[in-house]
Amino acid sequence: MRSYIGRQQAVSAEDFAELALGTPVELWLGEEGETDEQRAAREDAARDILADNPEMSDDLVRLAAQVIEENPDLFDVIPLVRSARCRPVRRGVAA
């Protein structure tokens, strides 16, 4: 089965992320071995993109949370268990 976003075929998780963001993933994460100058240029470009699209940072956080939630085996995370109803502890009150 082939997956397309618009006219672009996505064949990997990186492709999906790049197509969802509209920018290469490396712009946000950096690359191993980049120089200080390359990092500064990458961060300047990222700041310019965020200045032009202020909602993008929220979109990035939502996307990251979704990827982690859907693929916990790829990350070293422990899901939080939340009870449907949390009652505050009342001290000094007999039950």
Side-chain angles (χ1 to χ4, degrees):
M1 182 168 132
R2 295 182 184 184
S3 298
Y4 289 87
I5 297 178
R7 295 181 185 183
Q8 299 292 320
Q9 182 178 4
V11 294
S12 68
E14 290 81 13
D15 288 346
F16 278 105
E18 185 171 330
L19 291 168
L21 297 172
T23 62
V25 175
E26 295 81 16
L27 175 67
W28 308 104
L29 302 179
E31 293 188 64
E32 190 174 328
E34 71 182 358
T35 65
D36 290 341
E37 185 176 281
Q38 290 169 324
R39 181 178 183 177
R42 177 180 56 78
E43 290 174 345
D44 283 345
R47 274 191 289 278
D48 289 345
I49 290 169
L50 289 173
D52 290 344
N53 186 359
E55 301 84 29
M56 188 175 206
S57 59
D58 291 338
D59 295 341
L60 290 169
V61 170
R62 274 192 291 281
L63 177 63
Q66 181 180 351
V67 168
I68 292 168
E69 186 174 329
E70 292 175 359
N71 303 284
D73 54 311
L74 298 177
F75 303 91
D76 188 17
V77 296
I78 300 170
L80 295 176
V81 178
R82 298 180 188 204
S83 62
R85 183 175 150 188
C86 294
R87 286 184 268 169
V89 175
R90 296 172 64 189
R91 296 176 187 207
V93 178

